């Protein structure tokens, strides 16, 4: 399993118990956030609509900060042969919205960006975005693996972990990310039983009588009937 597949698995594991970002509303997509009042979303109070509009109009990050965030996002999830990068999926815009919606993210992220630039200046005498990609990756290698990181970079470790979570959440809840996951949602289908290779793997097999009664798709609209002893009739 390659690095990107591993990160997808990490995200899917977290999705099983809820999104990494609990405050992210499903109608606010990373590519183009739209105020609910404009999007035709009903059932919100005037106060909620006013707050939404304020969030959409305001800005927290400066342009240089957004530039650094975009660089980080694409280092975490670069483009592949089949899918675009995190920035192409609108992840920086997603993060910019999240810090306005969940203000508890503001200080850790701005402080983390300051730390990253300070670290880059200390090692390479220039800001993070002015470093070469090789130098940027060298800096991130110091903070990307918490179990290996030195106490000296503890703040950077916390910052990068937060950025990685936000990047994965933003990307894999975008249209592009959902397409990469192959998620199709709930769709009607025809079930023809557990595949033979899976049955063989566990040393199991279907009884022919049950196959005829339960996995015959020509009878899919026929209601099951049971006798008094609990045996399936049809």
């Amino acid at each position: 399993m390659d690095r990107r597949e591993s990160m997808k698995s990490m995200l899917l594991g977290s999705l099983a118990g809820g999104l990494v970002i609990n405050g992210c509303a499903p109608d606010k997509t990373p590519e183009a956030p739209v105020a609910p009042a404009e999007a035709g979303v009903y059932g919100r109070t005037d106060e909620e609509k006013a707050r939404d509009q304020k969030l959409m109009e305001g800005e927290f990050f400066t342009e240089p900060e957004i530039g650094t965030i975009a660089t980080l996002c694409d280092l975490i999830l670069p483009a592949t042969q089949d899918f675009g990068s995190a920035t192409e999926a609108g992840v920086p815009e997603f993060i910019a919205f999240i810090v306005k919606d969940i203000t508890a993210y503001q200080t850790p992220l701005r402080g983390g960006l300051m730390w990253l630039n300070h670290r880059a200046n200390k090692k390479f005498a220039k800001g993070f975005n002015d470093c070469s990609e090789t130098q940027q990756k060298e800096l991130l290698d110091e903070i990307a693996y918490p179990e290996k990181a030195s106490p000296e970079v503890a703040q950077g470790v916390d910052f990068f972990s937060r950025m990685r979570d936000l990047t994965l959440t933003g990307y894999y809840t975008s249209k592009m990310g959902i397409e990469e996951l192959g998620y199709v949602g709930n769709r009607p289908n025809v079930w023809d039983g557990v595949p033979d290779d899976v049955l063989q793997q566990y040393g199991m097999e279907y009884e022919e009588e049950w196959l005829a009664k339960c996995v015959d798709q020509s009878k899919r609209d026929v209601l099951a009937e049971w006798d008094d002893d609990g045996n399936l009739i049809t």
Side-chain angles (χ1 to χ4, degrees), residues 20-211:
V20 175
I21 307 302
N22 294 324
C24 178
D27 59 311
K28 299 167 186 170
T29 60
E31 290 85 359
V34 179
E38 298 175 2
V41 177
Y42 303 101
R44 301 180 67 78
T45 66
D46 290 339
E47 290 78 9
E48 289 172 330
K49 292 177 183 178
R51 180 178 182 275
D52 290 335
Q53 191 64 40
K54 183 178 179 180
L55 289 177
M56 295 299 174
E57 294 174 350
E59 297 295 340
F60 174 74
F61 289 123
T62 64
E63 286 190 18
E65 287 173 332
I66 283 292
T68 302
I69 288 172
T71 299
L72 282 169
C73 288
D74 279 353
L75 287 169
I76 292 170
L77 277 181
T80 65
Q81 181 178 349
D82 300 314
F83 296 96
S85 66
T87 57
E88 291 177 275
V91 175
E93 292 82 358
F94 168 82
I95 295 174
F97 174 80
I98 286 298
V99 299
K100 294 184 294 182
D101 189 38
I102 309 176
T103 56
Y105 279 93
Q106 293 180 358
T107 298
L109 289 186
R110 174 159 283 164
L113 291 169
M114 293 173 64
W115 180 93
L116 190 62
N117 277 312
H118 175 76
R119 189 71 176 174
N121 272 298
K122 182 178 180 179
K123 294 196 68 171
F124 303 114
K126 49 190 170 184
F128 182 78
N129 251 18
D130 294 324
C131 292
S132 67
E133 184 173 326
T134 298
Q135 291 171 331
Q136 291 170 344
K137 289 181 177 180
E138 182 179 333
L139 287 165
L140 297 185
D141 280 342
E142 292 184 317
I143 57 178
Y145 307 97
E147 68 281 359
K148 298 179 181 179
S150 67
E152 178 187 2
V153 296
Q155 182 181 352
V157 170
D158 180 70
F159 166 68
F160 187 75
S161 294
R162 196 181 301 266
M163 274 297 304
R164 181 165 46 204
D165 287 347
L166 285 165
T167 300
L168 286 167
T169 302
Y171 184 84
Y172 286 112
T173 54
S174 72
K175 183 176 184 294
M176 183 186 298
I178 290 173
E179 288 177 354
E180 182 177 344
L181 289 174
Y183 179 72
V184 297
N186 294 326
R187 294 186 179 183
N189 57 35
V190 175
W191 185 76
D192 57 2
V194 177
D196 288 337
D197 60 328
V198 177
L199 288 171
Q200 293 173 10
Q201 179 182 350
Y202 293 97
M204 303 181 72
E205 61 181 6
Y206 281 116
E207 296 179 10
E208 290 300 323
E209 180 183 359
W210 278 84
L211 279 175

